[in-house]
Amino acid sequence: MELFPTSKLCTLKPFFLIFLLLLTSTHATPSSSSNLFREYIGAEFNNVKFSDVPINPSVQFHFILSFAIDYDTSSSPSPTNGKFNVFWDTDNLSPTQVSAIKRKNSNIKVALSLGGDSVVGGGNANFNPSSIDSWVSNAVSSLTSIIKEYNLDGIDIDYEHFKADPETFSECLGRLIKTLKSNGVISFASIAPFDDDQVQSHYLTLWKSYGNLIDYVNFQFYAYDKGTTVDQFIGYFNAQSSNYNGGKVLVSFSTEGSGGLSPDGGFFTACHTLKSQQKLHGIFVWSADDSMSNGFRYEKQSQALLALP
C-alpha cells in the first residue's frame, strides 16, 4: 500500500511545507533543562589554576579563558583590526595546563572569550574594525592559531564597547563564527550580552542574522542592580529569553559581588524554579579568579544543583 497515494500529494503538500519550515526554522526552541556549568577564568591574574576549581563529573563543564582581544600588547595598547592577542594569565593557564585538565576530566571543554570590558593600560576594549572583510580575515587567522595552540573547543563573544554600528558588528562576528565552525576549528559559540541599550542593539542584531550559529547566551544577569529579588530575576530571565528567542539563555551570578541576584540572596531558589519549569539551560559564573577567596563554595553548589535529575 502506498503511504501517501499520488492523488493525495497535492492536498498534503502544504502540510509538508509547514512541517519542513518548522524543522528548518532559524532558532530551535529549547525544551528541557541542561547540566551545563560554565566559568570565566584568568582575567584578574591572581594565580588561579584550572585544577583549583572543583569539577563535578556529573555536569558538562566549560572553562572560558578571559580574554583574547584584538589589541596589541604594548604598554599603551591600541586596536589591531581583528588580530587577536592573549590577555589572560598564561603563566597559570597555559596550553599545557589546558591539555592536562582536559585529559584528567572527560566532561571538560575550554573556550576563549573575545573582548571583555577593558584592556590593561588601554581603557575600554572597543570593537573597532577597519572594514568587515579585513577584520574577519584577520580574526579567523589569529584566532585559529590561538585556538589550535591552546587546544580549545569554542569561543565566547563579550565585547561591551563599540566603535562600529550593530550591522557591522553582526557581520564581523557572525562571519567569524560561521567560518570557524565550517573549518572545524570550534564546536560551539556563545555570546555574553547584558541589559544596556547599546550592548543589546549590537547583540540582538547579531542574533537576528546569525542566531542559528550561536549555541549559548551567557546573559550577564549580575549587571542588573544589586539586591535583585527572586521574582525580578525570573522576570528578567523570561524577558531575555524572549529577546533571544529560541536561544539557550544561561543564568549567572558574580562572585565579586557586583550586582544582580546573589547566591545568598535567592539565586539558587530561582534556579530551582526554572529547573522545575524545564527552563534552566545552564549556569555560568564570573569568575573563578574572584571565587578563590571563598573556596569555590558557590561553584560546588551550582554544579550539585545542575547534577540533580
Side-chain angles (χ1 to χ4, degrees):
M1 178 186 291
E2 289 180 300
L3 185 59
F4 295 113
T6 305
S7 61
K8 294 185 179 178
L9 283 177
C10 291
T11 304
L12 289 168
K13 192 174 290 185
F15 296 99
F16 279 124
L17 290 173
I18 293 169
F19 180 65
L20 287 171
L21 284 170
L22 288 171
L23 284 178
T24 58
S25 60
T26 305
H27 309 300
T29 302
S31 58
S32 63
S33 294
S34 164
N35 67 343
L36 176 63
F37 179 80
R38 317 186 88 203
E39 180 142 43
Y40 290 87
I41 187 170
E44 296 173 21
F45 290 81
N46 66 352
N47 299 317
V48 65
K49 301 177 178 66
F50 296 121
S51 56
D52 292 329
V53 183
I55 296 160
N56 187 318
S58 297
V59 303
Q60 302 173 68
F61 196 115
H62 291 181
F63 280 113
I64 305 175
L65 292 163
S66 311
F67 291 93
I69 314 175
D70 53 333
Y71 273 62
D72 63 43
T73 55
S74 66
S75 57
S76 298
S78 58
T80 55
N81 189 40
K83 295 179 182 177
F84 282 85
N85 288 297
V86 170
F87 281 85
W88 63 76
D89 181 2
T90 55
D91 287 344
N92 292 288
L93 304 167
S94 66
T96 300
Q97 287 157 322
V98 171
S99 295
I101 197 69
K102 289 173 72 173
R103 274 197 310 271
K104 188 176 179 182
N105 301 272
S106 61
N107 59 323
I108 284 184
K109 294 185 185 302
V110 184
L112 59 76
S113 188
L114 309 183
D117 175 57
S118 59
V119 55
V120 177
N124 292 340
N126 290 301
F127 176 70
N128 190 19
S130 299
S131 70
I132 292 172
D133 288 345
S134 64
W135 189 93
V136 172
S137 177
N138 289 337
V140 167
S141 176
S142 59
L143 287 172
T144 296
S145 177
I146 295 169
I147 289 165
K148 289 185 174 180
E149 179 187 359
Y150 277 80
N151 187 25
L152 304 180
D153 304 286
I155 64 170
D156 174 67
I157 297 162
D158 187 24
Y159 281 104
E160 303 183 5
H161 306 281
F162 309 91
K163 297 288 188 182
D165 59 60
E167 289 72 23
T168 300
F169 177 74
S170 172
E171 282 305 300
C172 284
L173 276 303
R175 290 187 197 178
L176 172 64
I177 295 170
K178 185 174 183 178
T179 304
L180 292 178
K181 281 193 168 186
S182 296
N183 291 348
V185 177
I186 61 172
S187 58
F188 60 83
S190 58
I191 56 175
F194 56 94
D195 193 26
D196 169 270
D197 287 346
Q198 186 187 43
V199 169
Q200 289 279 61
S201 68
H202 284 74
Y203 282 94
L204 288 170
T205 301
L206 172 61
W207 182 259
K208 182 178 178 181
S209 297
Y210 291 97
N212 60 310
L213 296 174
I214 297 167
D215 300 279
Y216 313 108
V217 180
N218 280 16
F219 200 86
Q220 298 183 45
F221 288 101
Y222 44 84
Y224 285 106
D225 290 342
K226 194 169 186 176
T228 295
T229 67
V230 171
D231 286 345
Q232 286 174 325
F233 185 90
I234 298 292
Y236 296 150
F237 175 84
N238 288 330
Q240 300 308 331
S241 295
S242 178
N243 281 336
Y244 296 92
N245 186 32
K248 292 181 179 177
V249 177
L250 275 62
V251 297
S252 59
F253 62 88
S254 167
T255 51
E256 67 180 3
S258 56
L261 179 59
S262 69
D264 287 333
F267 175 81
F268 294 110
T269 299
C271 286
H272 279 290
T273 298
L274 292 173
K275 191 175 179 72
S276 71
Q277 297 171 353
Q278 301 247 309
K279 293 179 180 178
L280 186 64
H281 307 301
I283 297 171
F284 79 89
V285 179
W286 176 271
S287 67
D289 305 57
D290 299 303
S291 299
M292 287 270 283
S293 61
N294 68 21
F296 302 97
R297 171 185 170 191
Y298 301 120
E299 281 81 353
K300 294 173 187 173
Q301 196 170 346
S302 297
Q303 292 176 73
L305 186 155
L306 290 168
L308 291 172

